Amino acid sequence: MLTGLENRNVLVTGAGGFLGRHLLPQLLACGANVTGLVRSPRAALPEGVRQVLGDCRDEKAMRRLLQGQDVVIHLAGTLFGASWQDYLAANSEAARNVAAGARDASRIILVSSLAAAGPCAIEPGRNEAQNPEPVSAYGWSKLLAEQVMSALLGDRLVILRPPIIYGSGDRGLLPLFKSAKKGFGIGPARFPVSVIHAGDAATACALACQPEAAGIYHLGDGKSYQMDAICQAMARAQGRERLRMLRPPRALMRISAFLGSLANGVGRGICALAGKKAPPPPAWNPDKYREAIQPGWLADNSRICRELGFKATYSLEAGMAEAVAGYRNEGWL
C-alpha cells in the first residue's frame, strides 16, 4: 500500500468514468478520504467515496467544491468531440477552472495524454524532455490544459501522459473487442503503440500524489506492440485463436471519418430543431483519423519507473482477460 495519503482529503474529477472506477478503490486502500466529482447522480461509486455533483466547466462550482481538498486528481475530459470547440471546453477550459479552484490543495494531478506530446515510432518512445508536437485537436487541447494549469499551479502540478489505456469499463476500445470476437481486427501493417492497463494507470496516479513527484511523466507498460498483437490479444481473451487483419487504405479511412462526422453533424442539427438531446460525437472522426495515420505512438516510461518506482503489474494477456471479463459482466460483449 502506498503511504502519504492516509487521512488526506483527495478529490477526483471524472470519478464515474473509466479510469476513475479503477483509481477510487486504490485511493481508499491508501487510507485517503475520497470525494468523487461526477456530472450525473446515476454514477456508481465504491462504498466509502463521498459523491458530489458538479461540472468542471463551471468555475464558481469548482471554487466551492474544491475547498478543503489536500489533493486533486483531474481525470475529467473528453476523448471524442464533434469540433475543436468541444475539445477546448471539455479539456482546456475545464482544466483552468480546476486549477483556479484548487487553492487549498498541495498537490494537483492532471491526467493528460500522450497525444499532447505527439507521435513517435522509434523505441523506447517519446520522452518528457522532447518538445510537444500534437497532431490533433484533442492533442492540442490536452497540451493547452497542461500549460494553463502549469501557469496557475507551478510546482504543485504533476502531469501524467498515458498512451492507450485499456481495461474493464472502457468504451473507447469496445468496437475493436467486438470485431476481434467476430474474427477480424483492423490496423495498418506497421503501427507500434504503447499501452497501459487502467489498473496500472491508476497506480501511477496514486504514485504521483507523493511529495517527490514533480513535472511530467509518460506512462506505459514498458513494451512496444504492433496493432496486430493488440487485436490478437483481444481475440485470445475471448477464446478465438485465429484472427484476420483488415488493412483499409488511407483514402477509405479518411472518407469514412468525414462521413461519420458529417452524419453526426446532421443528426445534431435535427435534434436541435426537434428539441431533443444531441447524439454523442462519433468515436471515428477526422481528428482521430489524423492520429491514426501517424507512424506510431510510443511512450518512454523510464522516468516514472526510475523516480517513483512504478512497475506495470498487468501483462497484455492478463489485462485483456480483465477487460473482457468486465465487458461480459456489463453485458457489453
Side-chain angles (χ1 to χ4, degrees), residues 22-324:
H22 291 266
L23 174 60
L24 297 179
Q26 291 200 30
L27 295 175
L28 290 173
C30 291
N33 303 316
V34 185
T35 298
L37 178 65
V38 296
R39 293 179 61 185
S40 170
R42 297 190 300 273
L45 303 185
E47 184 178 353
V49 175
R50 184 173 72 96
Q51 177 175 300
V52 295
L53 295 177
D55 191 330
C56 294
R57 293 172 293 185
D58 185 335
E59 183 176 357
K60 291 183 178 179
M62 287 300 98
R63 290 184 181 274
R64 173 174 53 83
L65 294 171
L66 297 182
Q67 285 183 358
Q69 297 298 325
D70 301 311
V71 177
V72 176
I73 303 178
H74 183 40
L75 304 182
T78 188
L79 180 60
F80 307 114
S83 66
W84 66 267
Q85 291 96 331
D86 286 353
Y87 290 115
L88 190 66
N91 295 333
S92 308
E93 294 179 11
R96 177 183 61 81
N97 293 338
V98 170
R103 292 168 294 180
D104 299 333
S106 60
R107 176 55 48 89
I108 298 89
I109 315 301
L110 169 63
V111 178
S112 182
S113 169
L114 184 61
C120 178
I122 302 174
E123 295 186 30
R126 185 172 283 273
N127 63 50
E128 299 86 348
Q130 292 176 281
N131 290 328
E133 297 176 321
V135 296
S136 61
Y138 171 72
W140 277 109
S141 71
K142 284 293 191 178
L143 179 60
L144 183 57
E146 294 180 8
Q147 295 171 339
V148 168
M149 293 190 79
S150 181
L152 291 172
L153 299 170
D155 58 10
R156 290 192 292 153
L157 177 69
V158 176
I159 297 169
L160 302 179
R161 289 176 177 166
I164 297 170
I165 306 177
Y166 70 100
S168 58
D170 172 41
R171 291 185 179 273
L173 293 177
L174 183 58
L176 289 182
F177 278 91
K178 289 183 174 180
S179 296
K181 182 179 181 180
K182 295 176 181 177
F184 65 90
I186 302 175
R190 174 167 173 75
F191 190 70
V193 296
S194 294
V195 301
I196 188 169
H197 186 272
D200 288 328
T203 298
C205 290
L207 286 169
C209 297
Q210 298 180 111
E212 57 266 34
I216 300 172
Y217 296 99
H218 286 186
L219 304 184
D221 69 2
K223 297 182 180 180
S224 169
Y225 303 95
Q226 296 294 330
M227 280 306 298
D228 290 32
I230 299 292
C231 292
Q232 288 166 1
M234 291 177 177
R236 285 194 299 270
Q238 300 178 78
R240 179 179 285 275
E241 292 298 326
R242 300 187 64 181
L243 188 75
R244 180 184 178 187
M245 289 298 299
L246 304 180
R247 310 198 189 280
R250 183 173 294 189
L252 180 60
M253 293 171 61
R254 184 175 184 178
I255 291 171
S256 64
F258 171 77
L259 291 177
S261 182
L262 179 63
N264 183 258
V266 172
R268 283 172 170 261
I270 293 174
C271 288
L273 292 174
K276 297 182 178 179
K277 183 179 179 181
W284 180 243
N285 56 43
D287 202 59
K288 296 307 171 190
Y289 165 78
R290 285 188 285 271
E291 294 177 353
I293 62 173
Q294 302 306 313
W297 290 90
L298 294 176
D300 180 358
N301 75 342
S302 60
R303 180 172 184 248
I304 192 170
C305 294
R306 181 177 65 253
E307 296 185 6
L308 302 185
F310 172 80
K311 183 177 180 181
T313 59
Y314 281 89
S315 66
L316 185 63
E317 291 72 21
M320 290 299 178
E322 188 277 340
V324 168

